[in-house]
Amino acid sequence: MPRPLVLILDFGSQYTQLIARRVRELGVYSEIIPGTAKLAAIRAKKPDAIILSGSPASGYRAAAPQPDAGIYAMGKPMLGICYGFQVTQQLMGGEVHKAKHAEYGVATFVQDGKSPLFAGVPKRFRAWMSHGDEVKALAPGWVKVAHTSNCAFAAARHRTLPFHLIQFHPEVVHSPYGKQVLSNFLFKIAKLEGGWSMQHFVRDAVREIRAQVGDGHVLLGLSGGVDSTVAASLLHRAIGDRLVCVLVDHGLMRLNEAEEVRRELGEKRGLNLRVVNARERFLKKLAGVSDPEKKRKIIGHEFIAVFEREAKKLGKIEFLAQGTLYPDVIESASAGHGAQVIKSHHNVGGLPARMKLALVEPLKWLFKDEVRELGRALGLPSHLVDRHPFPGPGLAVRVLGVIEEHDLDTLRQADAIFLEELRRAKWYGRTWQAFAVLLPVRTVGVKGDERSYEKVLALRAVDSVDGMTADWTRLPHALLARAASRIANEVRGVNRVVFDVTSKPPSTIEWE
Ligand code: XMP
């Protein structure tokens, strides 16, 4: 039995990916395609139900993206959200106008009629809206289901077809009954079977990778981070040794990181993995450089050079695999993001075109925590799957100013102690990212009976969802005290430890 598929037509709402995720959380597989996809492309996917997303566009403007009107004749269960509501009404003969009162935020919905979509939802309920247009008159064949004080048609259903429209966003956490509404749509209206899990994802992804790659060869840049590690394991399951992983050890990784990846993926799991020791080369290029952006550029450039050189040695390669995630797809698609949000695998961004490689991106529908779940489904251990994010330029942006090799060693040791103490106190999993930063500042201390004049080390731990904003983690004092005492006593070259208590903004997570 093929698994049921919910196809989400994306009209550009910032929440589209959240809809996909909620549907998967409810145990039904979902995929996103552009809202303007042609009917043939939609039919080819064989969806069991369709969801139309929101959009920043106005349906009555000429440039607004419109679905192929043929989707309505397919007769599949359909849920239109926000813009999906308006554009459906417009295409079916209703009237849409600019709203007198745009609504942004939580509104109270009052149900006027009965709808299976609202089974188990109170007659009056609160839900989150974000719209400047509204439906003024419903198309023939439609019935009103709910209103708000500013919006006469806040939910509607078709009299005979399984079509449902809502003006609010059920996918956001500010809509407390959102999940119930989505669940009603999937199971009561579309009558889909649930039970989809990451194991199914593995099975499908393996089949798709095999179909795409055929008997070709795939190259993957392994960083040791969660995304590339999971992507590598998945590809290995699909095509075995025809996946070649290259780990460029630039000497800027955490303590034992390259070794751990080699042991876990290369030795234990038998991945075809090459670790390239390029430490000297990177250090040489970074010598005397203190500007953070220059450091990043040098590292990115060298990374590509080393990677390309290795790839050339390998002979026939037709594909480049990347652990691109859904948020990366969105990020790359929207211009204007600074270098600080560019992920490490974008380091090989220029390569596919130059080397005429086709891209394989098996994680591109997933969110970070889904990737972690996938990693667990593939049997990867927690210390790989639950790793904190780590910047592509690595410790180079955590040794502030000019980088000396001994500073990298100092930082590695201090960082390892901090992480060890976090794990011991069971705080590693409760903070989003934690690390140490070595400052180019010396202070006076006393070690034994002697005066010391050594560097300051800063500890940073942040709570965040996506790294875009963050607050410092309120770590217990006892934990900080233990980490600071151990670092100042055990790590040579450090005699003072401070804890960073700024949020982002106005600071950033990394110090450089
Ligand atoms: P910032 O410092 O901008 O960091 O608040 C946000 C998140 O991005 C990571 N980061 C990077 N990741 N290349 C990367 O791959 C980079 O140049 C880079 N700079 C910052 C940072 O660790 C945090 O998770």
Side-chain angles (χ1 to χ4, degrees):
M1 246 291 275
R3 49 149 170 73
L5 168 70
V6 173
L7 200 58
I8 298 166
L9 300 196
D10 177 24
F11 296 102
S13 159
Q14 55 180 320
Y15 303 116
T16 304
Q17 70 275 27
L18 261 185
I19 306 173
R21 187 205 167 117
R22 296 281 177 254
V23 171
R24 291 200 291 258
E25 277 171 4
L26 286 163
V28 177
Y29 185 64
S30 69
E31 272 183 24
I32 299 169
I33 61 166
T36 51
K38 291 268 170 287
L39 185 61
I42 294 168
R43 276 188 192 285
K45 289 272 181 192
K46 298 196 175 78
D48 297 280
I50 294 175
I51 296 180
L52 309 183
S53 85
S55 169
S58 272
Y60 51 81
R61 298 223 162 85
Q66 292 208 334
D68 190 319
I71 57 169
Y72 300 108
M74 286 170 74
K76 295 285 176 199
M78 186 176 294
L79 177 65
I81 296 170
C82 194
Y83 176 82
F85 183 157
Q86 297 155 13
V87 80
T88 297
Q89 279 305 312
Q90 211 165 22
L91 288 170
M92 296 189 93
E95 258 182 76
V96 179
H97 290 284
K98 195 169 181 56
K100 215 185 241 160
H101 306 279
E103 282 181 292
Y104 301 103
V106 173
T108 300
F109 281 68
V110 183
Q111 294 186 47
D112 302 296
K114 262 196 144 13
S115 166
L117 194 65
F118 295 125
V121 178
K123 191 167 175 351
R124 293 169 70 88
F125 66 97
R126 288 168 75 70
W128 201 82
M129 306 255 264
S130 173
H131 70 117
D133 298 333
E134 67 179 9
V135 172
K136 281 272 155 46
L138 289 173
W142 287 83
V143 241
K144 172 176 170 174
V145 172
H147 68 269
T148 71
S149 56
N150 288 322
C151 178
F153 301 100
R157 68 175 165 81
H158 197 275
R159 245 181 245 287
T160 51
L161 296 166
F163 295 172
H164 296 262
L165 302 174
I166 48 180
Q167 192 57 62
F168 64 92
H169 287 271
E171 66 277 18
V172 304
V173 289
H174 318 290
S175 296
Y177 293 97
K179 206 154 183 180
Q180 177 73 48
V181 166
L182 286 173
S183 162
N184 289 340
F185 174 67
L186 299 176
F187 304 118
K188 285 197 182 344
I189 293 163
K191 302 200 165 42
L192 303 181
E193 216 173 279
W196 179 87
S197 72
M198 272 302 160
Q199 294 297 349
H200 297 82
F201 182 90
V202 172
R203 224 173 39 210
D204 291 349
V206 162
R207 202 173 45 229
E208 280 162 26
I209 291 165
R210 285 181 184 155
Q212 185 189 358
V213 171
D215 51 13
H217 294 77
V218 181
L219 178 66
L220 180 137
L222 198 60
S223 70
V226 178
D227 308 345
S228 62
T229 301
V230 173
S233 306
L234 180 60
L235 278 146
H236 181 245
R237 187 168 289 194
I239 58 167
D241 265 3
R242 284 182 293 117
L243 168 73
V244 188
C245 300
V246 172
L247 191 154
V248 177
D249 181 358
H250 46 27
L252 306 165
M253 293 178 155
R254 287 164 284 196
L255 193 68
N256 300 332
E257 197 167 9
E259 181 47 30
E260 231 173 60
V261 172
R262 199 185 57 73
R263 200 175 45 232
E264 201 62 53
L265 296 187
E267 270 173 34
K268 278 202 199 155
R269 284 156 198 278
L271 264 73
N272 190 351
L273 168 65
R274 286 159 190 257
V275 180
V276 187
N277 184 344
R279 295 178 191 184
E280 250 179 61
R281 179 179 174 145
F282 275 83
L283 267 185
K284 235 187 231 158
K285 292 277 178 185
L286 286 166
V289 179
S290 61
D291 178 72
E293 285 319 300
K294 268 203 192 125
K295 288 181 183 176
R296 280 193 167 81
K297 281 216 177 78
I298 290 171
I299 292 164
H301 183 267
E302 283 311 295
F303 188 91
I304 290 190
V306 174
F307 194 76
E308 201 170 14
R309 193 189 63 193
E310 279 308 302
K312 280 199 183 120
K313 289 188 199 159
L314 295 171
K316 206 160 167 271
I317 297 277
E318 300 89 355
F319 297 90
L320 180 78
Q322 294 193 155
T324 318
L325 308 191
Y326 195 81
D328 303 332
V329 176
I330 297 290
E331 230 165 58
S332 317
S334 57
H337 283 285
Q340 74 271 22
V341 292
I342 294 174
K343 305 287 158 52
S344 53
H345 48 255
H346 295 172
N347 280 343
V348 292
L351 270 188
R354 207 152 84 201
M355 294 178 60
K356 302 196 173 57
L357 296 175
L359 277 180
V360 185
E361 297 180 305
L363 311 182
K364 72 174 175 195
W365 299 113
L366 304 181
F367 284 86
K368 190 84 177 186
D369 53 346
E370 291 181 304
V371 170
R372 293 197 157 114
E373 206 184 317
L374 172 60
R376 282 188 277 273
L378 288 162
L380 289 170
S382 162
H383 67 267
L384 290 186
V385 167
D386 297 320
R387 266 204 173 141
H388 288 170
F390 188 64
L395 301 184
V397 289
R398 294 180 182 169
V399 168
L400 304 196
V402 170
I403 301 166
E404 302 285 351
E405 194 169 2
H406 61 85
D407 286 332
L408 287 169
D409 286 335
T410 303
L411 178 59
R412 258 191 281 270
Q413 285 171 38
D415 188 68
I417 291 174
F418 184 34
L419 298 186
E420 192 182 309
E421 289 302 332
L422 278 168
R423 286 202 172 92
R424 199 201 303 269
K426 306 229 174 324
W427 268 86
Y428 184 85
R430 294 174 67 183
T431 180
W432 193 74
Q433 189 176 13
F435 54 90
V437 185
L438 189 65
L439 312 193
V441 175
R442 283 171 198 275
T443 67
V444 173
V446 50
K447 280 193 174 178
D449 282 336
E450 282 182 33
R451 175 186 186 276
S452 68
Y453 189 52
E454 294 176 320
K455 286 193 171 162
V456 181
L457 185 107
L459 301 180
R460 180 109 166 109
V462 292
D463 300 330
S464 178
V465 176
D466 51 13
M468 303 296 278
T469 59
D471 195 9
W472 59 280
T473 307
R474 272 47 171 185
L475 293 178
H477 289 178
L479 162 59
L480 287 171
R482 209 163 33 245
S485 156
R486 277 194 62 195
I487 290 167
N489 282 293
E490 294 173 31
V491 181
R492 275 180 54 184
V494 173
N495 67 358
R496 190 175 300 271
V497 177
V498 296
F499 183 55
D500 182 348
V501 289
T502 35
S503 60
K504 172 186 180 176
S507 289
T508 52
I509 295 176
E510 303 290 343
W511 280 42
E512 278 197 340

